[in-house]
Amino acid sequence: MVGKYNMREIYLISHTPNDEVKHLKVCEIEFLKFSIDLKDFDALVVTSKHSIKALKFNNIKFENIKVFSIGDGTTNEAKAFGFTDIYTAKNHHGNEFAREILSLLPNKKVLFLRAKEVVSNVDGILLDNEVDLTSIVAYRNKFIKLSADKIPPKNSILIFTSPSNVKGFLRNFEIDESYSIVSIGKATTNELLEYKNVITSSFQDVKKCIEIAQNLK
């Protein structure tokens, strides 16, 4: 039965649904207007697939520059846009990702497309290490007001895919002590420190998080 495992409901709290589990949308992406010429840069740093979608939203002319991607989901979005020279990080968490790619950025003019509100310090780390960086706020999260009947039942398993999704959930509901929680990464887990039963995925990948949730008893 879709969304159930051992009689426990699994809720994916994410911008994007997945057919294997129930979906709860607590925030949505708003793309912001900007204008750039990719020919002015040697490399693009992206920590979310929304950064690539922001290029599409703003009708930015494609130029096949080097892309540094934080994970497989972002890499797949970059490939779909047309990029072919893509470095996918071994470290799938913001600050570690920034430190990993530092040695690959000397003498490069780098573009970083980011969210309005962030919990990691990718641009700060790159700038502190004298990377020639242009940082643009490309999108922001808007929280959604939900009715009380949308709250997951007791004993549910919740999968949080970003810090903003944790914040959006808590704007609507409390986290019941009977819930088990799967977090996609360290930054998301940092928003859940006061709660018990939190498992942090080793990979910033929704499929991996669903596998963890399905194996919870």
Side-chain angles (χ1 to χ4, degrees), residues 6 18 23 41 57 96 120 137 161 173 176 198 213:
N6 292 336
N18 185 292
H23 181 233
F41 301 93
F57 174 81
E96 290 93 335
S120 58
V137 176
T161 59
F173 312 121
D176 191 85
V198 179

Side-chain angles (χ1 to χ4, degrees), residues 3-206:
K4 287 199 173 186
Y5 189 85
N6 292 336
M7 303 305 293
R8 300 182 72 185
E9 300 279 6
I10 300 175
Y11 283 83
L12 178 65
I13 301 156
S14 171
H15 295 93
T16 308
N18 185 292
D19 291 339
E20 293 188 50
V21 294
K22 292 196 170 185
H23 181 233
L24 185 62
K25 188 173 184 178
V26 297
C27 55
E28 58 189 2
I29 295 296
E30 178 185 5
F31 295 108
L32 305 177
K33 290 186 177 297
F34 61 88
S35 178
I36 53 167
D37 188 341
L38 291 179
K39 289 183 179 180
D40 294 335
F41 301 93
D42 302 305
L44 171 65
V45 172
V46 282
T47 56
S48 168
K49 63 183 179 182
H50 302 306
S51 298
I52 303 296
K53 290 182 176 181
L55 292 174
K56 298 178 184 178
F57 174 81
N58 284 286
N59 296 311
I60 303 301
K61 186 178 179 181
F62 175 72
E63 182 72 20
N64 197 20
I65 61 175
K66 177 79 175 183
V67 174
F68 293 89
S69 163
I70 198 169
D72 291 338
T74 306
T75 293
N76 290 337
E77 195 70 35
K79 287 179 179 178
F81 190 68
F83 293 111
T84 58
D85 188 5
I86 305 172
Y87 175 92
T88 304
K90 299 177 180 66
N91 294 290
H92 304 298
H93 308 289
N95 292 349
E96 290 93 335
F97 166 58
R99 295 187 183 98
E100 177 184 336
I101 64 175
L102 269 176
S103 64
L104 305 174
L105 297 177
N107 304 314
K108 285 184 170 61
K109 191 169 183 180
V110 181
L111 173 64
F112 177 42
L113 299 178
R114 46 160 286 189
K116 184 176 181 179
E117 294 184 356
V118 295
V119 293
S120 58
N121 188 35
V122 172
D123 46 356
I125 291 170
L126 298 182
L127 288 169
D128 287 346
N129 286 274
E130 300 183 345
V131 172
D132 184 0
L133 185 73
T134 298
S135 181
I136 294 177
V137 176
Y139 62 94
R140 72 182 185 95
N141 281 284
K142 293 175 62 179
F143 296 113
I144 299 171
K145 178 65 177 176
L146 300 178
S147 57
D149 63 341
K150 297 292 185 182
I151 187 170
K154 289 181 182 295
N155 298 310
S156 293
I157 301 169
L158 310 184
I159 301 172
F160 288 104
T161 59
S162 70
S164 59
N165 277 291
V166 176
K167 293 174 183 177
F169 185 91
L170 292 173
R171 281 176 175 243
N172 287 281
F173 312 121
E174 294 183 353
I175 292 181
D176 191 85
E177 62 181 11
S178 69
Y179 293 157
S180 293
I181 301 170
V182 178
S183 163
I184 201 167
K186 292 179 182 178
T188 302
T189 299
N190 285 340
E191 298 292 331
L192 295 161
L193 294 179
E194 65 181 277
Y195 303 103
K196 300 177 180 178
N197 303 322
V198 179
I199 298 173
T200 304
S201 173
S202 299
F203 299 92
Q204 192 172 337
D205 182 272
V206 171

